[in-house]
């Protein structure tokens, strides 16, 4: 009996260490609340240390352009942890930023984050183990529903060692709440998990679109690469100058819309808020030749300074060149992919060569409107010359007629109606020139081309003529 009791006591003593070890293991499990998005295999876990002011973080996600999580209900004034690959693409860059209203969050150097062992890029997955020294100022450790947000950058990859690298607008975002009471416990980095714990998703993931930026680029390209060459064609080959004016107004309207959208987009990013980037500076410079191109053909200015008309075509080419360079710098500013930049460059060169060749051809042969205008002007001048010649001839005819009436004419100085001769023939039958007038002067008829009655009497001296009946 005593042996049996000793055996049971020994077994119990052997079990106690195992029980204590299991209890210690359970106590050593790191408290955490975990967000897991199955669609992207993104995990974000938080541990609030109860023995320090530290907040421990485990963050993993596919290597998108960037991925971020924020402590707050909205971006404005919330702490955001942005993660993206480093410059070599073999490790992670973590960037603590403070969000602002509807714009890119700015890097905050006051937030201290320690990168812990285990941080790496493995199988195209960003893995971050980190400790934030002063993140508790942006969360409520006693809240069971701490508001949180998350966001994903676009597909083109961002690689940088700088925590203040330029970010492109997110393509998707969402909201959730996190139980910080559940996350509070012994400090430590949470473990990897694919289960949601202490987290409630607030709605579905929202797809985002950068419509203003896209519209800014598309409207500008339509003005440069579609309307601009069409306007050159209309100016050179259409006789109606109103078509060229209308297309010019439409094209300027497109550029105004593009400039306005560019101003809206500039306010969304840190790098462009001050309007001091090369893209923006050259855009403002391009306004000067564009304005001159629009006002130089005005008739009031041309009448004052006719030579201003010759500056129109060079200013058109200079404005196009400035605007194309502005667009290229805009693509660089927005971190567009290389194929897009190459395609833009090729189209710009092709359209510039087309415009240059077409303008050279128009300059050599003249525009259709100029040719038609000159032809009409010449016809009007010829018509005026014909009128002047006709009026001059009529005036000379009147002068000669008056002179003929004032000079007596007849046979040997004898007036008409003497019965001896005609005014057309002299004493020797020689032909004499006579100027006639259709008017009746001094009782004489037949001053014009038709002979008068006295002339008929002289032609037929044997025939009685009753002059009083005429």
């Amino acid at each position: 009996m005593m042996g049996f009791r000793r055996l049971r006591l020994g077994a119990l003593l052997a079990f106690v260490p195992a029980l204590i070890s299991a209890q210690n293991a359970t106590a050593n499990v790191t408290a955490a609340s975990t967000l897991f998005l199955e669609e992207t295999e993104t995990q974000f876990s938080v541990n609030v240390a109860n023995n320090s002011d530290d907040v421990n973080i485990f963050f993993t996600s596919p290597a998108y352009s960037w991925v971020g999580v924020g402590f707050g209900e909205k971006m404005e004034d919330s702490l955001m942890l942005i993660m993206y690959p480093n410059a070599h693409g073999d490790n992670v860059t973590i960037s603590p930023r403070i969000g602002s209203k509807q714009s890119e969050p700015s890097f905050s150097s006051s937030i201290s984050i320690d990168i812990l062992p285990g941080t790496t890029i493995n199988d195209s997955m960003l893995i971050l183990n980190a400790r934030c020294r002063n993140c508790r100022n942006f969360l409520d450790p006693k809240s069971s529903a701490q508001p949180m947000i998350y966001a994903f950058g676009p597909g083109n990859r961002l690689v940088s060692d700088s925590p203040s690298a330029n970010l492109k607008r997110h393509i998707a975002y969402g909201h959730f709440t996190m139980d910080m009471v559940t996350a509070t416990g012994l400090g430590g980095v949470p473990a990897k998990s694919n289960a949601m714990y202490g987290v409630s998703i607030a709605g579905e993931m929202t797809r985002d679109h950068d419509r203003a930026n896209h519209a800014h680029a598309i409207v500008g390209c339509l003005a440069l690469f579609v309307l601009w060459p069409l306007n050159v064609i209309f100016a050179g080959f259409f006789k109606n100058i109103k078509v060229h004016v209308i297309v010019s107004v439409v094209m300027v309207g497109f550029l105004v819309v593009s400039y306005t959208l560019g101003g809206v987009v500039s306010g969304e990013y840190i790098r462009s808020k001050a309007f001091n980037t090369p893209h923006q500076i050259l855009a403002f410079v391009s306004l000067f030749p564009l304005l001159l191109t629009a006002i130089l053909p005005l008739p009031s200015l041309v009448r004052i300074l006719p030579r201003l008309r010759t500056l129109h075509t060079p200013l058109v080419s200079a404005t196009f060149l400035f605007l194309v360079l502005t667009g290229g710098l805009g693509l660089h500013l927005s971190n567009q992919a290389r194929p897009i930049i190459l395609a833009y460059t090729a189209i710009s060169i092709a359209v510039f060569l087309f415009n240059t060749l077409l303008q050279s051809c128009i300059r050599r042969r003249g525009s259709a409107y100029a040719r038609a205008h000159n032809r009409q002007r010449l016809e009007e001048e010829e018509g005026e010359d014909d009128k002047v010649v006709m009026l001059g001839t009529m005036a000379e005819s009147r002068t000669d007629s008056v002179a003929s009436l004032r000079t007596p004419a007849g046979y040997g100085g004898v007036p008409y109606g003497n019965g001896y001769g005609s005014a057309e023939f002299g004493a020797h039958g020689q032909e004499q020139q006579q100027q006639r007038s259709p008017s009746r002067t001094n009782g004489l008829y037949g001053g014009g081309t038709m002979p008068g009655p006295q002339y008929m009497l002289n032609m037929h001296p044997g025939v009685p003529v009753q002059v009083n009946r005429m």
Side-chain angles (χ1 to χ4, degrees):
M1 189 67 178
M2 291 294 294
F4 179 72
R5 290 180 177 176
R6 289 177 181 175
L7 181 62
R8 289 179 61 185
L9 182 59
L12 182 61
L13 292 175
F15 177 73
V16 169
L19 181 61
I20 295 174
S21 177
Q23 291 177 347
N24 290 337
T26 302
N28 288 334
V29 173
T30 303
S33 290
T34 299
L35 167 72
F36 182 77
L37 301 176
E38 186 175 358
E39 182 179 354
T40 59
E41 298 183 357
T42 298
Q43 177 190 348
F44 180 77
S45 298
V46 173
N47 164 261
V48 180
N50 56 9
N51 56 353
S52 69
D53 292 334
D54 298 339
V55 175
N56 299 291
I57 297 168
F58 178 82
F59 197 2
T60 180
S61 184
Y64 294 104
S65 172
W66 58 265
V67 58
V69 174
F71 296 87
E73 188 175 359
K74 53 185 179 180
M75 285 183 58
E76 188 175 6
D77 298 329
S78 65
L79 170 63
M80 303 192 68
L81 303 179
I82 309 295
M83 181 173 61
Y84 44 87
N86 65 359
H88 298 286
D90 57 359
N91 213 321
V92 175
T93 298
I94 182 67
S95 173
R97 303 192 179 208
I98 303 299
S100 57
K101 187 176 181 180
Q102 297 180 348
S103 64
E104 179 186 4
S106 56
F107 169 68
S108 176
S109 58
S110 62
I111 306 299
S112 176
I113 296 182
D114 298 332
I115 306 298
L116 303 178
T119 300
T120 185
I121 295 181
N122 185 15
D123 195 19
S124 297
M125 294 289 292
L126 302 173
I127 301 174
L128 172 68
N129 295 321
R131 180 185 299 115
C132 184
R133 297 291 184 182
N134 48 0
C135 289
R136 296 182 75 155
N137 297 330
F138 296 91
L139 57 88
D140 183 5
K142 298 181 180 180
S143 174
S144 59
Q146 167 69 39
M148 304 285 291
I149 54 178
Y150 65 88
F152 296 97
N156 52 323
R157 195 174 183 185
L158 167 65
V159 288
S160 176
D161 291 330
S162 172
S164 59
N166 296 327
L167 302 180
K168 296 189 68 175
R169 186 185 177 103
H170 47 60
I171 60 172
Y173 62 92
H175 299 79
F176 65 100
T177 60
M178 182 169 278
D179 189 350
M180 292 300 169
V181 177
T182 302
T184 302
L186 187 63
V189 176
K192 180 176 176 57
S193 174
N194 58 358
M196 196 88 71
Y197 188 73
V199 167
S200 176
I201 299 293
E204 297 182 355
M205 183 185 300
T206 302
R207 298 291 178 181
D208 190 30
H209 304 280
D210 196 2
R211 292 186 176 90
N213 193 18
H214 294 161
H216 166 63
I218 292 173
V219 172
C221 287
L222 287 176
L224 289 178
F225 302 142
V226 177
L227 294 179
W228 201 289
L230 283 177
N231 201 25
V232 175
I233 294 174
F234 292 151
F237 300 100
F238 278 68
K239 294 181 180 180
N240 191 349
I241 195 64
K242 292 182 179 179
V243 178
H244 171 59
V245 174
I246 292 173
V247 177
S248 298
V249 171
V250 173
M251 184 178 64
V252 171
F254 271 60
L255 291 175
V256 169
V257 172
S258 181
Y259 268 78
T260 303
L261 292 172
V264 173
V265 173
S266 296
E268 296 181 357
Y269 299 96
I270 297 172
R271 56 192 177 275
S272 57
K273 284 183 177 180
F275 291 89
N276 57 359
T277 64
H279 166 67
Q280 294 164 315
I281 293 174
L282 191 57
F284 291 134
V285 172
S286 301
L287 290 175
F288 180 69
L290 180 63
L291 181 63
L292 288 179
T293 303
I295 66 175
L296 282 185
L298 294 178
S300 56
L301 289 179
V302 173
R303 284 194 295 267
I304 298 174
L305 298 172
R307 293 185 179 181
L308 288 179
R309 188 188 299 271
T310 60
L311 298 177
H312 181 69
T313 300
L315 281 174
V316 167
S317 300
T319 304
F320 180 82
L321 184 60
F322 281 138
L323 291 176
V324 166
L325 292 176
T326 300
L329 292 173
L331 294 177
H332 178 72
L333 180 63
S334 60
N335 298 322
Q336 292 295 330
R338 180 173 296 179
I340 295 179
I341 296 178
L342 293 177
Y344 176 85
T345 303
I347 295 174
S348 301
I349 294 174
V351 175
F352 178 77
L353 292 177
F354 174 80
N355 290 342
T356 302
L357 292 175
L358 197 61
Q359 289 172 351
S360 177
C361 177
I362 295 171
R363 188 163 49 252
R364 285 197 301 267
R365 66 192 297 269
S367 67
Y369 168 76
R371 295 197 307 272
H373 183 71
N374 291 336
R375 189 181 303 113
Q376 181 181 0
R377 181 174 56 82
L378 291 175
E379 290 175 355
E380 292 176 354
E381 291 179 355
E382 290 177 357
E384 292 294 331
D385 292 343
D386 292 341
K387 291 181 180 179
V388 171
V389 171
M390 182 179 66
L391 291 176
T393 304
M394 293 176 62
E396 292 179 357
S397 175
R398 293 194 190 95
T399 303
D400 294 343
S401 298
V402 172
S404 65
L405 291 176
R406 292 176 178 176
T407 304
Y411 177 80
V414 181
Y416 285 124
N418 56 7
Y420 290 99
S422 169
E424 293 183 350
F425 296 90
H428 303 286
Q430 296 177 351
E431 183 178 357
Q432 296 181 350
Q433 184 178 2
Q434 177 184 1
Q435 301 293 337
R436 301 182 179 90
S437 172
S439 60
R440 176 178 178 181
T441 307
N442 298 327
L444 300 178
Y445 293 85
T449 57
M450 296 297 294
Q454 296 294 341
Y455 176 78
M456 298 296 294
L457 180 64
N458 292 333
M459 288 292 295
H460 305 279
V463 179
V465 178
Q466 298 179 3
V467 180
N468 58 351
R469 291 184 180 182
M470 299 181 67

